[in-house]
Amino acid sequence: MISKYRKLFNEQFTSEKYQKLKNDIAQDFDYEPTFRLGETPFFISNELKAQLIEGCNDVIALIQQKNFKELTNKSLDLNTKVPNEDNHSTFIAIDFGICEEDGKTIPKLIEVQGFPSLFNYQVNLFEKFKKYYPFLDELTPFLNDYSSQDYMKILEEVFCNNHPKENVILLEIEPEKQNTKIDFYYCKRDLGIPFVCVTDLIKKGNQLFYKNENGDEIQVKRIYNRVIFDELNLRPDLKMNFSFSDELDVEWAGHPNWFFRISKFILPLLKGKYFIETTLLSELKEIPEDLENYVLKPLFSFSGSGVIFHVKKEDIEAVVDKELYILQKKVNYQPIVQSPDGKVKAEVRMLCTWKKEDAAPTLLGNLVRLSRGEMIGVKYNKDKDWVGGTIGLFER
């Protein structure tokens, strides 16, 4: 999108440099991420940046409505309800496909989540890219003229909320086996927050404890939550000493209820130029004739699981819980990133944090996924290059 930097990057790119970049990340913890690293950042023009911010603000305006909880209470009735919910989400991740409409580039909202993303990995990825392409220091992945130090300070404040770091944990299901493990490693190294498996928590009364590296029991006062109930519900083998439905003496950095409230559940409520026609299946009056122009999605799945891209009438008729699915109009992703052999599609995830006392969330950073397939996910991009996870860079 910024031709000057695209030209500079492509001229300096080599496969050897790409491999060195990957090795550099792997050497930090003697661990190579299991997801594919895209070869290039996505250079975002000021015009597209303004559109992304406007689209985010439209989403945030809905979430800030006084009746938002009332509008989304049903999402909890359909799922697991966790006690002691806070007034607003700690995190918002807003995914836009970079699309073409009427011959013009426009971001279109694909998904929104009240859940954290790769906050710690992304800032380190930016530093790695700058190491191999020094001219990238002229750009920034941040939205508010932040430095990397400012960004990390905000993360620490949001994750810890003034608690000592030893009393704050990153909670996940078998974190050592997660695709996002590299993010946990950076969180522990850069912020001093340990990652803990749900099976390792000890419950005493209404308090939770974990054992530190010395074997000492430490009280958990705040949980940076990375647990997705979809995955938890598929793991009856996990022997946990507590339940998420317990009344616990802990704070949440990312209360689990917000994963359901801020989700595909709210897509039918969003109207405007950055939003896609989306209908709850239970409210669908008739099945469209042109189903090839639609996607069928479960409301609360993660990482694209359960999505039907080539929808047939039978697929819709076969859905039993129609309150749990949406039918969404397809968008026309615009191949926009110039690779050495053709153009690549992009999806930008705008990352927001929301401190407890703040009136509104803070637009902080971003994550970008590149694709040559018909969808963004890994399974649509196997054996392809210039695809995968990367970062968007803005002009300062």
Side-chain angles (χ1 to χ4, degrees):
M1 288 297 294
I2 310 175
S3 55
K4 169 189 171 183
Y5 292 108
R6 172 52 54 214
K7 184 171 183 291
L8 264 173
F9 186 91
N10 286 21
E11 286 172 353
Q12 294 186 22
F13 174 82
T14 64
S15 297
E16 292 74 23
K17 197 181 285 190
Y18 172 62
Q19 190 58 50
K20 283 181 181 177
L21 174 66
K22 291 201 299 178
N23 292 344
D24 200 344
I25 294 169
Q27 284 166 8
D28 280 346
F29 307 103
D30 192 25
Y31 166 75
E32 185 172 347
T34 50
F35 54 83
R36 191 179 194 283
L37 170 63
E39 281 83 342
T40 177
F42 178 36
F43 301 116
I44 299 175
S45 68
N46 286 331
E47 183 182 2
L48 180 56
K49 176 185 176 181
Q51 290 177 312
L52 289 165
I53 292 172
E54 185 180 5
C56 285
N57 287 337
D58 288 348
V59 173
I60 290 166
L62 172 69
I63 294 168
Q64 286 184 297
Q65 284 184 195
K66 289 182 179 178
N67 66 338
F68 184 75
K69 283 196 175 185
E70 184 184 335
L71 288 171
T72 57
N73 278 337
K74 192 171 185 181
S75 69
L76 301 186
D77 296 337
L78 295 167
N79 290 284
T80 304
K81 192 181 294 186
V82 177
N84 303 317
E85 181 184 321
D86 41 12
N87 290 330
H88 58 71
S89 182
T90 311
F91 306 103
I92 307 176
I94 309 173
D95 292 357
F96 292 95
I98 306 305
C99 299
E100 186 175 13
E101 188 174 79
D102 300 326
K104 295 180 180 177
T105 300
I106 185 169
K108 288 286 188 176
L109 182 73
I110 305 299
E111 194 162 344
V112 54
Q113 298 165 355
F115 196 74
S117 194
L118 304 181
F119 283 102
N120 293 91
Y121 171 71
Q122 288 303 108
V123 66
N124 281 283
L125 178 60
F126 177 49
E127 297 301 323
K128 299 292 187 188
F129 265 122
K130 284 195 296 182
K131 181 175 175 181
Y132 294 93
Y133 303 91
F135 69 88
L136 295 180
D137 196 37
E138 298 172 21
L139 301 165
T140 178
F142 309 121
L143 274 298
N144 295 290
D145 295 324
Y146 293 128
S147 65
S148 293
Q149 292 74 26
D150 297 330
Y151 175 88
M152 293 305 298
K153 186 172 184 293
I154 292 169
L155 288 190
E156 182 177 332
E157 290 170 353
V158 169
F159 293 174
C160 298
N161 193 33
N162 297 314
H163 289 288
K165 290 179 183 179
E166 72 167 0
N167 299 118
V168 181
I169 62 164
L170 186 161
L171 189 65
E172 178 56 288
I173 301 162
E174 297 181 332
E176 294 284 352
K177 296 180 181 178
Q178 296 289 340
N179 277 337
T180 48
K181 181 166 71 169
I182 187 72
D183 187 63
F184 308 161
Y185 280 146
Y186 281 123
C187 184
K188 184 177 180 181
R189 187 195 74 180
D190 297 342
L191 294 180
I193 297 173
F195 49 87
V196 177
C197 180
V198 290
T199 58
D200 291 332
L201 285 179
I202 303 157
K203 186 183 176 190
K204 295 181 179 181
N206 67 344
Q207 295 180 333
L208 295 177
F209 297 81
Y210 76 100
K211 288 187 178 179
N212 67 10
E213 292 173 349
N214 297 322
D216 302 320
E217 284 190 6
I218 308 293
Q219 186 180 350
V220 177
K221 296 185 177 177
R222 188 166 170 85
I223 295 173
Y224 173 34
N225 181 50
R226 300 296 296 261
V227 177
I228 295 169
F229 284 177
D230 258 18
E231 185 179 354
L232 190 64
N233 293 337
L234 293 172
R235 296 295 307 276
D237 59 304
L238 295 172
K239 292 180 171 52
M240 293 168 53
N241 298 305
F242 79 103
S243 168
F244 280 87
S245 60
D246 293 338
E247 288 279 352
L248 298 169
D249 179 23
V250 294
E251 290 180 7
W252 296 92
H255 191 285
N257 288 358
W258 288 102
F259 176 82
F260 301 117
R261 289 190 186 279
I262 301 175
S263 63
K264 294 186 204 66
F265 187 83
I266 68 170
L267 295 184
L269 304 175
L270 290 160
K271 310 295 180 187
K273 63 182 176 181
Y274 299 115
F275 307 127
I276 307 166
E277 177 193 312
T278 305
T279 308
L280 200 62
L281 222 53
S282 59
E283 296 178 3
L284 188 69
K285 291 182 173 59
E286 59 181 0
I287 297 174
E289 293 293 326
D290 58 337
L291 278 178
E292 68 276 8
N293 294 319
Y294 289 84
V295 183
L296 183 63
K297 296 180 177 180
L299 278 179
F300 303 110
S301 68
F302 202 72
S303 298
S305 62
V307 174
I308 299 176
F309 195 70
H310 300 289
V311 188
K312 298 183 179 65
K313 188 178 179 182
E314 307 87 79
D315 296 322
I316 294 173
E317 292 171 340
V319 174
V320 177
D321 295 318
K322 289 186 165 48
E323 289 183 320
L324 297 177
Y325 279 79
I326 54 171
L327 191 66
Q328 188 177 59
K329 203 83 179 276
K330 282 181 186 175
V331 291
N332 181 26
Y333 278 85
Q334 180 183 11
I336 197 168
V337 177
Q338 182 63 60
S339 79
D341 61 340
K343 290 191 174 182
V344 179
K345 302 168 190 173
E347 194 169 285
V348 180
R349 173 172 294 175
M350 303 287 275
L351 302 178
C352 309
T353 56
W354 197 345
K355 293 180 192 174
K356 188 175 181 180
E357 67 280 2
D358 285 357
T362 299
L363 273 170
L364 202 55
N366 75 86
L367 177 156
V368 170
R369 290 181 294 175
L370 303 176
S371 173
R372 292 182 189 258
E374 63 181 349
M375 284 184 72
I376 294 292
V378 173
K379 65 183 177 182
Y380 297 96
N381 287 282
K382 286 179 180 174
D383 306 318
K384 295 179 172 69
D385 62 2
W386 285 62
V387 298
T390 185
I391 195 162
L393 299 180
F394 307 104
E395 295 178 84
R396 288 187 187 275

